[in-house]
Amino acid sequence: MNYKDMLRADKMPHIWCPGCGHGIILAAFLRAMAAKEVDPDKVVVVSGIGCSARASGYLDFNTLHTTHGRAIAFATGIKLANPELMVVVLTGDGDCAAIGGNHLIHGARRNIDLTVIVFNNSIYGMTSGQYSPLTPHRKKATTAPYGNFDHPFDLVELAKGAGATFVARGATAYPRQLEKVISHGLDHKGFSVIEAVSQCPTYYGRRNKMGSAVDMLHWIKENTSPGGKEEGKIPLGVFVQVQRPEYCSNYYESIESLARGEKGE
Amino acid sequence: MANKKLIQGNEACVEGALAAGVRFFAGYPITPSTEIAEGMAERLPLVGGAFIQMEDEIASIAAAIGASIAGVKAMTATSGPGFSLMQENIGFAAMTEIPVVVVDVCRGGPSTGTPTKGSQSDFMQTRWGTHGDHPVIVLTPSSVQEVYDETIRAFNLAEKYMVPVILLYDEVVGHMREGVVLTKPEEIIERKKPSVKPEDYRPYAAAEDMIPALAPFGTGYRYHITGLSHDETGFPTGNPKAIQGLLERICGKIEANRHDIIKYNAFDVDDAEAVILAFGSPVRTARHVQKEARARGKKVGLFQILTAWPFPHEALQEIYAKTQASFVIPEMTLGQLADEVSKSVPRDKIYSVLRNDGEMITPAQLEEAVRRVLE
Amino acid sequence: MNKNWEVIISGSGGQGAILAGIILAEAALADGYNVIQTQSYGPEARGGASRAEVLISSEALAYPKVQNCNLMVAMTQESLNKYGGMLAPGAILVTDEEIDTSSVPDGVIVHKAPIFATAARLPRPMVANIMVLGIMNTVANVVSPEHLQAAIQARVPAATIQLNMEALAKGIEIGQQLV
């Protein structure tokens, strides 16, 4: 399937700003999907609120644009009600790590088969530049005019700690690697978290004097390590890939024996 | 005598939901509703359904709505504090027209309030808890049998009108045990299916009845659901006409069907000089007092509300026009119900019996009020 | 026969007062009467006064709470102090022999029995609530003994049925000595 066929062409142009990294992430996701044998009728894309969340509307799948932070909770209901569906959550750093942080860790703990792609641009873009739980310390935002007093989460470590069975990080500066880790995440049976480091030239970049979108891409290139080994750089790659019983499979297999009258202890 | 089972109100809710075809429950424990989650955890796996205890009430209703979008009858149950947390997503279900049943077993509030005792003070929250103009249906049983019957009706109305339905009853009703007949429902309503091919599908292009045919995800109709104001295609719109049209339709589909949704019981109201009006456990006190008053030759009637929202104003206006009766309103709030009644009955004909201390309104308390009104 | 019982079974949280109330209600329902069982308890699962109320009537019931209590079981001093005032004239009170009943209103028929001393000699004293049901039903003749027995069997954990049947038999025996 050509990835362009998975887009709702009539919804273009998208609302993202010139230079925004979200289009690169979406394209990486679509290329990964295009390489798979999937029936678009059986794909559900769930999003919350924010710039990232608008991605769902551009995709020709079953798409659900929910309330702020709650995409994983809605997706949990869909997946558990119909495990045959492939359920993907597109979310942002604010949506997923702040207001939706609780759902992220509990989704990971359950190991329910969802693929969560976190568009991390270090800022709340939709509401014009407030700091998020992934905004670095001392960086500026409209709600951090003197520099951010908070310290950020490391989303990869958070997902690992919560028990996600697939954890990876990619970046817009390395779109092929991003596509690859998303593809692995989609294939993984269990809770997959892929952080996609992105750039927001309009709010984060401008306020922190990081230059143009191209300058920001250069910054990402210089400050991330695609091999994950370089000292002092943000590691990219796959960090966790383990098999653990998946929530829905385990649930339905367990209740099947109950229905046969073998009461569990 | 029919085969009666001694069960609790909350257990009757579980039985009613199963009889109506529920196959998904997501919830978070909270007194005094927890027996519903416990009952579902035990029963749903045995019928191949899904039970999940979520991390909080926000996630619980989100998961229930998600399951409904996948085409499964879904519900959650909670009490005041959890009900407050659910409000945003109740609005999401109203806006996106996803059927879901929410049970609020009401305890004393505000805040943590009185967890183990009854109250009715979520009455207005069931109607206006979420932001924005929105439709909602609220049913208010007062006995264990009614909990069973009204739970079935809640699922039917949710599926028929594509709307969240709230079942509101107080702790007294939730924990009370009575003999109940678990009759097989006369009618089970399933949501409308699209009648057009996927390429011609406009999910929110409702027919004359204003009710959309939303295809469950995964059935070949790929479309978009959003909590943003949307047009017939389901996609966001900024068009003022489309925004107004959407709100008028989602509220209008309930208003236009008030006659089908509103349910009440009127006992001896035709010649009444005083009508006791109540829902939930105060109905029990009211029925006791009303029967005794009639036995003493006093012209007292009882109006029992079973559908609280939409509110049965037409019926009250009719009774008042016919009888000019005074309305005695016992409620376990500080006057929320009386306020609503005052839209249909003159203020000076309304006599409130208010009690929100966790205890039931007693027959003596209500008798005294009725006696004073009749004097 | 016209029947109209307004029963309170009270004790300390964890003593099984509410379970006893449910069993009584279930037996009365099986007898063909209208019943309502309600309960009142605090936020804690253990300790504190708790009570079950059971209305049993040949007439239709509306108001679910006890108004004129004509039968009460009090398993602790605290619960008797708290609810004793609800006893109507002519009511029957069943309580432990150690409990001070001097504040009980005049006209109440008081049955004091060695409830806890007897229960302590059973393999598990936690079945005192079932024993007290046996005493109460024997002195007041509320429900049919067969339905009481069936309701106990249906409501207690399967592994404890034998133990509970012993407690019931002991209660009936004590009850017979009282009347």
Side-chain angles (χ1 to χ4, degrees):
Chain A
M1 200 172 180
N2 188 318
Y3 87 78
K4 283 184 183 152
D5 294 339
M6 293 186 230
L7 281 172
R8 288 170 173 150
D10 59 330
K11 298 303 162 198
M12 297 294 141
H14 56 67
I15 65 156
W16 295 321
C17 303
C20 171
H22 286 8
I24 299 173
I25 304 170
L26 191 64
F29 166 62
L30 287 178
R31 285 196 307 274
M33 286 293 282
K36 300 185 192 307
E37 292 286 315
V38 290
D39 174 359
D41 284 341
K42 301 294 177 192
V43 177
V44 177
V45 175
V46 187
S47 64
I49 295 293
C51 293
S52 64
R54 293 307 184 95
S56 63
Y58 304 136
L59 302 173
D60 192 13
F61 300 120
N62 302 280
T63 55
L64 178 63
H65 178 218
T66 68
T67 47
H68 197 16
R70 316 304 171 196
I72 291 171
F74 278 87
T76 297
I78 294 170
K79 183 71 188 179
L80 184 57
N82 185 358
E84 281 179 11
L85 300 173
M86 176 186 200
V87 184
V88 179
V89 173
L90 304 181
T91 179
D93 45 310
D95 197 43
C96 163
I99 189 167
N102 202 24
H103 313 308
L104 174 75
I105 59 174
H106 288 280
R109 175 177 63 81
R110 291 188 186 102
N111 196 35
I112 187 164
D113 188 18
L114 304 176
T115 303
V116 180
I117 303 172
V118 186
F119 294 49
N120 175 15
N121 58 5
S122 307
I123 203 86
Y124 287 85
M126 183 67 85
T127 47
S128 67
Q130 298 74 38
Y131 70 92
S132 89
L134 299 189
T135 303
H137 186 55
R138 296 194 189 286
K139 291 292 179 185
K140 286 189 175 169
T142 60
T143 47
Y146 311 112
N148 184 14
F149 297 120
D150 284 21
H151 288 269
F153 277 133
D154 179 328
L155 199 69
V156 163
E157 292 302 319
L158 181 67
K160 276 164 76 175
T165 49
F166 181 93
V167 182
R169 184 187 283 125
T172 51
Y174 297 100
R176 292 292 166 190
Q177 184 190 30
L178 180 59
E179 174 190 331
K180 212 169 94 182
V181 296
I182 290 174
S183 178
H184 289 324
L186 290 167
D187 290 342
H188 178 77
K189 194 169 161 65
F191 195 80
S192 310
V193 180
I194 299 120
E195 177 187 346
V197 178
S198 182
Q199 74 277 8
C200 172
T202 305
Y203 295 113
Y204 185 77
R206 192 157 58 191
R207 195 161 283 266
N208 288 293
K209 301 194 170 27
M210 293 181 77
S212 68
V214 175
D215 295 332
M216 290 186 81
L217 275 169
H218 277 300
W219 186 95
I220 293 173
K221 199 156 207 166
E222 282 158 17
N223 288 279
T224 56
S225 167
K229 300 270 189 264
E230 292 163 82
E231 194 72 25
K233 293 188 177 183
I234 301 163
L236 306 180
V238 175
F239 305 100
V240 176
Q241 192 167 14
V242 295
Q243 293 302 322
R244 196 150 64 76
E246 191 275 327
Y247 189 85
C248 301
S249 305
N250 180 57
Y251 180 85
Y252 287 105
E253 280 161 21
S254 304
I255 70 164
E256 207 181 328
S257 62
L258 280 178
R260 287 199 307 265
E262 303 157 22
K263 264 239 170 187
E265 285 306 315
Chain B
M1 166 187 235
N3 188 17
K4 281 193 176 178
K5 281 183 76 171
L6 183 80
I7 57 174
Q8 241 182 1
N10 284 342
E11 292 170 316
C13 180
V14 172
E15 297 294 341
L18 287 166
V22 74
R23 286 299 177 270
F24 189 95
F25 182 100
Y28 187 83
I30 183 168
T31 303
S33 79
T34 304
E35 294 84 4
I36 302 173
E38 290 170 341
M40 286 295 176
E42 191 173 335
R43 300 288 296 282
L44 271 174
L46 303 178
V47 296
F51 169 89
I52 186 167
Q53 184 169 310
M54 295 299 286
E55 50 273 21
D56 58 30
E57 288 89 347
I58 300 172
S60 299
I61 185 160
I65 296 169
S68 183
I69 288 169
V72 172
K73 285 187 184 175
M75 74 182 292
T76 184
T78 188
S79 185
F83 191 58
S84 292
L85 289 176
M86 290 184 181
Q87 291 305 327
E88 185 190 13
N89 283 336
I90 290 173
F92 182 85
M95 180 64 145
T96 56
E97 302 179 75
I98 306 301
V100 65
V101 172
V102 179
V103 187
D104 176 10
V105 188
C106 193
R107 66 194 228 184
S111 190
T112 312
T114 320
T116 58
K117 287 175 182 281
S119 173
Q120 299 184 298
S121 46
D122 295 354
F123 175 65
M124 277 293 168
Q125 195 191 12
T126 60
R127 180 64 194 91
W128 295 116
T130 196
H131 58 281
D133 285 326
H134 64 278
V136 71
I137 295 173
V138 181
L139 310 182
T140 52
S142 74
S143 70
V144 181
Q145 184 69 55
E146 284 173 1
V147 171
Y148 177 76
D149 297 338
E150 293 301 295
T151 302
I152 294 167
R153 197 163 74 96
F155 277 95
N156 281 343
L157 291 172
E159 294 281 319
K160 185 172 182 181
Y161 294 110
M162 302 300 282
V163 67
V165 177
I166 294 160
L167 195 70
L168 172 69
Y169 57 85
D170 52 82
E171 182 276 340
V172 179
V173 176
H175 283 158
M176 176 195 294
R177 284 182 181 80
E178 293 181 289
V180 177
V181 186
L182 303 177
T183 42
K184 199 166 171 287
E186 282 166 30
E187 190 187 20
I188 296 286
I189 299 176
E190 307 289 343
R191 71 192 75 168
K192 248 192 222 178
K193 289 192 171 67
S195 56
V196 297
K197 293 197 291 278
E199 52 271 34
D200 301 324
Y201 185 52
R202 293 161 74 80
Y204 291 95
E208 259 175 47
D209 64 3
M210 298 184 272
I211 302 160
L214 295 183
F217 275 10
T219 57
Y221 293 82
R222 299 197 299 275
Y223 64 104
H224 190 56
I225 297 176
T226 177
L228 283 165
S229 298
H230 45 272
D231 61 19
E232 292 185 349
T233 66
F235 286 93
T237 181
N239 177 340
K241 220 177 129 189
I243 294 168
Q244 177 93 4
L246 171 68
L247 293 180
E248 285 177 357
R249 184 179 60 73
I250 63 174
C251 295
K253 70 182 176 184
I254 301 304
E255 282 303 305
N257 290 292
R258 294 174 68 89
H259 62 282
D260 182 46
I261 299 165
I262 289 175
K263 189 174 162 189
Y264 54 83
N265 288 318
F267 302 96
D268 305 324
V269 295
D270 290 345
D271 65 340
E273 289 168 14
V275 174
I276 308 173
L277 180 145
F279 72 90
S281 71
V283 169
R284 310 299 295 260
T285 314
R287 186 67 176 139
H288 179 94
V289 169
Q290 187 261 329
K291 272 169 130 180
E292 292 210 334
R294 278 282 164 182
R296 291 196 310 272
K298 306 282 183 197
K299 290 185 173 168
V300 179
L302 167 62
F303 189 92
Q304 176 196 358
I305 292 171
L306 276 161
T307 305
W309 302 106
F311 196 79
H313 282 296
E314 301 89 334
L316 296 187
Q317 284 157 14
E318 204 179 299
I319 292 168
Y320 182 71
K322 199 162 147 189
T323 63
Q324 303 290 301
S326 297
F327 279 69
V328 181
I329 305 178
E331 55 180 308
M332 294 160 82
T333 86
L334 295 186
Q336 296 181 27
L337 177 60
D339 266 357
E340 188 62 25
V341 175
S342 72
K343 292 179 182 172
S344 286
V345 176
R347 268 277 175 200
D348 60 2
K349 299 292 267 185
I350 294 174
Y351 299 84
S352 280
V353 180
L354 308 178
R355 180 165 199 176
N356 198 4
D357 61 353
E359 300 298 325
M360 280 190 76
I361 291 164
T362 63
Q365 212 180 344
L366 186 56
E367 257 157 24
E368 170 65 15
V370 171
R371 192 183 56 74
R372 272 190 281 119
V373 167
L374 289 176
E375 268 168 13
Chain C
M1 189 177 82
N2 266 3
K3 224 174 230 222
N4 186 24
W5 287 107
E6 299 194 28
V7 188
I8 291 178
I9 302 177
S10 65
S12 159
Q15 277 187 320
I18 291 170
L19 178 62
I22 295 168
I23 288 168
L24 181 67
E26 190 148 274
L29 185 71
D31 279 352
Y33 295 105
N34 296 303
V35 301
I36 304 179
Q37 183 270 326
T38 61
Q39 56 219 325
S40 161
Y41 55 91
E44 61 284 283
R46 290 284 178 273
S50 81
R51 77 173 191 263
E53 300 187 14
V54 184
L55 303 187
I56 299 169
S57 179
S58 31
E59 306 291 314
L61 290 164
Y63 185 67
K65 294 283 185 182
V66 167
Q67 297 183 85
N68 297 296
C69 177
N70 53 14
L71 179 57
M72 181 181 287
V73 170
M75 294 196 275
T76 62
Q77 186 72 55
E78 187 196 352
S79 61
L80 181 64
N81 295 348
K82 197 164 173 189
Y83 307 123
M86 296 174 75
L87 284 160
I92 299 168
L93 170 69
V94 176
T95 190
D96 189 77
E97 60 187 0
E98 299 285 317
I99 287 171
D100 174 8
T101 55
S102 56
S103 62
V104 168
D106 289 343
V108 171
I109 304 157
V110 179
H111 291 287
K112 284 186 164 194
I115 300 169
F116 293 108
T118 312
R121 290 195 297 274
L122 291 172
R124 284 166 80 184
M126 58 176 280
V127 292
N129 62 335
I130 300 299
M131 199 176 74
V132 103
L133 266 182
I135 301 172
M136 184 202 80
N137 199 48
T138 308
V139 299
N141 189 24
V142 183
V143 294
S144 68
E146 306 79 53
H147 285 147
L148 183 63
Q149 187 175 330
I152 294 168
Q153 286 171 343
R155 291 278 178 173
V156 301
T160 67
I161 288 179
Q162 189 51 42
L163 188 63
N164 279 289
M165 287 300 104
E166 282 171 37
L168 177 66
K170 203 82 196 159
I172 292 170
E173 188 189 312
I174 296 171
Q176 281 162 348
Q177 288 161 9
L178 291 171
V179 287

